[in-house]
Amino acid sequence: ETGVTQSPTHLIKTRGQQVTLRCSSQSGHNTVSWYQQALGQGPQFIFQYYREEENGRGNFPPRFSGLQFPNYSSELNVNALELDDSALYLCASSAGQGMVSYNSPLHFGNGTRLTVT
Amino acid sequence: EDQVTQSPEALRLQEGESSSLNCSYTVSGLRGLFWYRQDPGKGPEFLFTLYSAGEEKEKERLKATLTKKESFLHITAPKPEDSATYLCAVQAGGNYQLIWGAGTKLIIKP
């Protein structure tokens, strides 16, 4: 069983630039969520995709956008990068058909460490 | 406002010294509480889901319990490899998202 994989592992960008992060979901999982984790904090929900559509969004501005592809892989795009966007970006997948539940918990990748200078 | 608070922020124990981590929550309509372990530079690793008050789950040296206001992660006779940050998260109401605590950093000294 292949787990959740994310690329790249590390990235350094300049303020104002744009970035794309990629995620391959775990085999058999159809729902993908993205989280931002600042140092010493818990993950913050960005958004979730199911059947190639966004079906939930946290308190993040529109410059954070995403895609889900037919093979359930996903991208997170961030435009006009700000210094505060520096964080670990986590992708998680689940088999809950759009819902996190007790029998379909989230399974996380190891994240992309984004540094904005 | 839905909120999850974990305590203590950090905990240092000697190998074999049992203790408990706390996760208290204030949410409308708890649908599930999740415990995860996170090692440095890695993503969170799923440990347990608790669904209703009174429920208990065990895995090796870890045992998770749930009441209507909080959850405890009990660690019995810990080993250095149990050192990690332990995160709890709750799903509430009709929301898809999980609300996370800031975690407890557990250090087990040999």
Side-chain angles (χ1 to χ4, degrees), chain A residues 40-53:
Chain A
Q41 299 297 315
Q44 297 290 316
F45 177 72
I46 303 175
F47 44 56
Q48 177 176 284
Y49 279 84
Y50 171 61
R51 289 187 173 178
E52 302 176 53
E53 291 191 3

PDB file of all heavy atoms in Angstrom, chain A residues 40-53:
ATOM      1  N   GLY A  40       5.605  24.811  15.827  1.00  0.00           N
ATOM      2  CA  GLY A  40       5.079  24.760  17.187  1.00  0.00           C
ATOM      3  C   GLY A  40       3.573  24.830  17.295  1.00  0.00           C
ATOM      4  O   GLY A  40       3.034  24.943  18.400  1.00  0.00           O
ATOM      5  N   GLN A  41       2.887  24.756  16.150  1.00  0.00           N
ATOM      6  CA  GLN A  41       1.422  24.833  16.139  1.00  0.00           C
ATOM      7  C   GLN A  41       0.820  23.570  15.532  1.00  0.00           C
ATOM      8  O   GLN A  41       1.514  22.797  14.865  1.00  0.00           O
ATOM      9  CB  GLN A  41       0.967  26.049  15.329  1.00  0.00           C
ATOM     10  CG  GLN A  41       1.448  27.374  15.879  1.00  0.00           C
ATOM     11  CD  GLN A  41       0.914  27.654  17.255  1.00  0.00           C
ATOM     12  OE1 GLN A  41      -0.278  27.470  17.526  1.00  0.00           O
ATOM     13  NE2 GLN A  41       1.796  28.091  18.148  1.00  0.00           N
ATOM     14  N   GLY A  42      -0.477  23.400  15.768  1.00  0.00           N
ATOM     15  CA  GLY A  42      -1.183  22.319  15.094  1.00  0.00           C
ATOM     16  C   GLY A  42      -1.510  22.714  13.663  1.00  0.00           C
ATOM     17  O   GLY A  42      -1.440  23.886  13.298  1.00  0.00           O
ATOM     18  N   PRO A  43      -1.859  21.744  12.839  1.00  0.00           N
ATOM     19  CA  PRO A  43      -2.227  22.035  11.445  1.00  0.00           C
ATOM     20  C   PRO A  43      -3.478  22.908  11.367  1.00  0.00           C
ATOM     21  O   PRO A  43      -4.386  22.766  12.185  1.00  0.00           O
ATOM     22  CB  PRO A  43      -2.484  20.642  10.861  1.00  0.00           C
ATOM     23  CG  PRO A  43      -1.745  19.694  11.738  1.00  0.00           C
ATOM     24  CD  PRO A  43      -1.829  20.287  13.102  1.00  0.00           C
ATOM     25  N   GLN A  44      -3.512  23.797  10.378  1.00  0.00           N
ATOM     26  CA  GLN A  44      -4.680  24.630  10.093  1.00  0.00           C
ATOM     27  C   GLN A  44      -5.258  24.192   8.745  1.00  0.00           C
ATOM     28  O   GLN A  44      -4.548  24.148   7.746  1.00  0.00           O
ATOM     29  CB  GLN A  44      -4.287  26.102  10.033  1.00  0.00           C
ATOM     30  CG  GLN A  44      -3.753  26.661  11.353  1.00  0.00           C
ATOM     31  CD  GLN A  44      -4.820  26.782  12.406  1.00  0.00           C
ATOM     32  OE1 GLN A  44      -5.928  27.236  12.119  1.00  0.00           O
ATOM     33  NE2 GLN A  44      -4.513  26.376  13.626  1.00  0.00           N
ATOM     34  N   PHE A  45      -6.565  23.916   8.739  1.00  0.00           N
ATOM     35  CA  PHE A  45      -7.248  23.437   7.539  1.00  0.00           C
ATOM     36  C   PHE A  45      -7.300  24.515   6.470  1.00  0.00           C
ATOM     37  O   PHE A  45      -7.757  25.628   6.730  1.00  0.00           O
ATOM     38  CB  PHE A  45      -8.657  22.994   7.930  1.00  0.00           C
ATOM     39  CG  PHE A  45      -9.529  22.541   6.798  1.00  0.00           C
ATOM     40  CD1 PHE A  45      -9.299  21.334   6.155  1.00  0.00           C
ATOM     41  CD2 PHE A  45     -10.604  23.305   6.394  1.00  0.00           C
ATOM     42  CE1 PHE A  45     -10.127  20.899   5.130  1.00  0.00           C
ATOM     43  CE2 PHE A  45     -11.442  22.888   5.377  1.00  0.00           C
ATOM     44  CZ  PHE A  45     -11.200  21.681   4.746  1.00  0.00           C
ATOM     45  N   ILE A  46      -6.830  24.163   5.248  1.00  0.00           N
ATOM     46  CA  ILE A  46      -6.900  25.103   4.133  1.00  0.00           C
ATOM     47  C   ILE A  46      -8.144  24.804   3.304  1.00  0.00           C
ATOM     48  O   ILE A  46      -9.033  25.638   3.174  1.00  0.00           O
ATOM     49  CB  ILE A  46      -5.633  25.034   3.253  1.00  0.00           C
ATOM     50  CG1 ILE A  46      -4.389  25.308   4.088  1.00  0.00           C
ATOM     51  CG2 ILE A  46      -5.753  26.026   2.091  1.00  0.00           C
ATOM     52  CD1 ILE A  46      -3.082  25.147   3.318  1.00  0.00           C
ATOM     53  N   PHE A  47      -8.182  23.602   2.714  1.00  0.00           N
ATOM     54  CA  PHE A  47      -9.372  23.161   1.990  1.00  0.00           C
ATOM     55  C   PHE A  47      -9.316  21.667   1.733  1.00  0.00           C
ATOM     56  O   PHE A  47      -8.312  21.009   2.006  1.00  0.00           O
ATOM     57  CB  PHE A  47      -9.584  23.914   0.661  1.00  0.00           C
ATOM     58  CG  PHE A  47      -8.359  24.110  -0.185  1.00  0.00           C
ATOM     59  CD1 PHE A  47      -7.571  23.055  -0.606  1.00  0.00           C
ATOM     60  CD2 PHE A  47      -7.996  25.385  -0.573  1.00  0.00           C
ATOM     61  CE1 PHE A  47      -6.455  23.256  -1.388  1.00  0.00           C
ATOM     62  CE2 PHE A  47      -6.880  25.602  -1.363  1.00  0.00           C
ATOM     63  CZ  PHE A  47      -6.108  24.537  -1.766  1.00  0.00           C
ATOM     64  N   GLN A  48     -10.431  21.153   1.226  1.00  0.00           N
ATOM     65  CA  GLN A  48     -10.570  19.727   0.950  1.00  0.00           C
ATOM     66  C   GLN A  48     -11.174  19.537  -0.427  1.00  0.00           C
ATOM     67  O   GLN A  48     -12.036  20.315  -0.859  1.00  0.00           O
ATOM     68  CB  GLN A  48     -11.454  19.078   2.012  1.00  0.00           C
ATOM     69  CG  GLN A  48     -11.725  17.599   1.791  1.00  0.00           C
ATOM     70  CD  GLN A  48     -12.512  17.000   2.926  1.00  0.00           C
ATOM     71  OE1 GLN A  48     -11.986  16.752   3.993  1.00  0.00           O
ATOM     72  NE2 GLN A  48     -13.790  16.781   2.701  1.00  0.00           N
ATOM     73  N   TYR A  49     -10.747  18.474  -1.118  1.00  0.00           N
ATOM     74  CA  TYR A  49     -11.265  18.148  -2.441  1.00  0.00           C
ATOM     75  C   TYR A  49     -11.816  16.731  -2.463  1.00  0.00           C
ATOM     76  O   TYR A  49     -11.221  15.792  -1.903  1.00  0.00           O
ATOM     77  CB  TYR A  49     -10.171  18.281  -3.505  1.00  0.00           C
ATOM     78  CG  TYR A  49      -9.967  19.699  -3.950  1.00  0.00           C
ATOM     79  CD1 TYR A  49      -9.148  20.557  -3.221  1.00  0.00           C
ATOM     80  CD2 TYR A  49     -10.615  20.198  -5.072  1.00  0.00           C
ATOM     81  CE1 TYR A  49      -8.986  21.868  -3.609  1.00  0.00           C
ATOM     82  CE2 TYR A  49     -10.446  21.509  -5.469  1.00  0.00           C
ATOM     83  CZ  TYR A  49      -9.634  22.345  -4.737  1.00  0.00           C
ATOM     84  OH  TYR A  49      -9.471  23.640  -5.118  1.00  0.00           O
ATOM     85  N   TYR A  50     -12.964  16.603  -3.120  1.00  0.00           N
ATOM     86  CA  TYR A  50     -13.593  15.303  -3.325  1.00  0.00           C
ATOM     87  C   TYR A  50     -14.196  15.310  -4.717  1.00  0.00           C
ATOM     88  O   TYR A  50     -14.906  16.253  -5.081  1.00  0.00           O
ATOM     89  CB  TYR A  50     -14.657  15.044  -2.256  1.00  0.00           C
ATOM     90  CG  TYR A  50     -15.506  13.823  -2.493  1.00  0.00           C
ATOM     91  CD1 TYR A  50     -14.929  12.554  -2.555  1.00  0.00           C
ATOM     92  CD2 TYR A  50     -16.880  13.932  -2.662  1.00  0.00           C
ATOM     93  CE1 TYR A  50     -15.707  11.428  -2.773  1.00  0.00           C
ATOM     94  CE2 TYR A  50     -17.664  12.813  -2.876  1.00  0.00           C
ATOM     95  CZ  TYR A  50     -17.073  11.561  -2.924  1.00  0.00           C
ATOM     96  OH  TYR A  50     -17.840  10.448  -3.142  1.00  0.00           O
ATOM     97  N   ARG A  51     -13.924  14.293  -5.484  1.00  0.00           N
ATOM     98  CA  ARG A  51     -14.407  14.193  -6.865  1.00  0.00           C
ATOM     99  C   ARG A  51     -14.074  15.454  -7.656  1.00  0.00           C
ATOM    100  O   ARG A  51     -14.924  15.999  -8.372  1.00  0.00           O
ATOM    101  CB  ARG A  51     -15.910  13.937  -6.880  1.00  0.00           C
ATOM    102  CG  ARG A  51     -16.272  12.535  -6.410  1.00  0.00           C
ATOM    103  CD  ARG A  51     -17.744  12.242  -6.578  1.00  0.00           C
ATOM    104  NE  ARG A  51     -18.041  10.856  -6.272  1.00  0.00           N
ATOM    105  CZ  ARG A  51     -19.274  10.340  -6.300  1.00  0.00           C
ATOM    106  NH1 ARG A  51     -20.302  11.100  -6.617  1.00  0.00           N
ATOM    107  NH2 ARG A  51     -19.463   9.070  -6.010  1.00  0.00           N
ATOM    108  N   GLU A  52     -12.863  15.912  -7.486  1.00  0.00           N
ATOM    109  CA  GLU A  52     -12.292  17.038  -8.239  1.00  0.00           C
ATOM    110  C   GLU A  52     -12.931  18.384  -7.920  1.00  0.00           C
ATOM    111  O   GLU A  52     -12.697  19.373  -8.635  1.00  0.00           O
ATOM    112  CB  GLU A  52     -12.364  16.768  -9.756  1.00  0.00           C
ATOM    113  CG  GLU A  52     -11.649  15.485 -10.156  1.00  0.00           C
ATOM    114  CD  GLU A  52     -11.802  15.157 -11.633  1.00  0.00           C
ATOM    115  OE1 GLU A  52     -11.503  16.027 -12.465  1.00  0.00           O
ATOM    116  OE2 GLU A  52     -12.228  14.017 -11.941  1.00  0.00           O
ATOM    117  N   GLU A  53     -13.728  18.440  -6.867  1.00  0.00           N
ATOM    118  CA  GLU A  53     -14.338  19.718  -6.471  1.00  0.00           C
ATOM    119  C   GLU A  53     -13.988  20.058  -5.027  1.00  0.00           C
ATOM    120  O   GLU A  53     -13.930  19.162  -4.174  1.00  0.00           O
ATOM    121  CB  GLU A  53     -15.856  19.654  -6.627  1.00  0.00           C
ATOM    122  CG  GLU A  53     -16.308  19.596  -8.076  1.00  0.00           C
ATOM    123  CD  GLU A  53     -17.797  19.799  -8.217  1.00  0.00           C
ATOM    124  OE1 GLU A  53     -18.465  20.036  -7.194  1.00  0.00           O
ATOM    125  OE2 GLU A  53     -18.298  19.723  -9.348  1.00  0.00           O
TER     126      GLU A  53
END
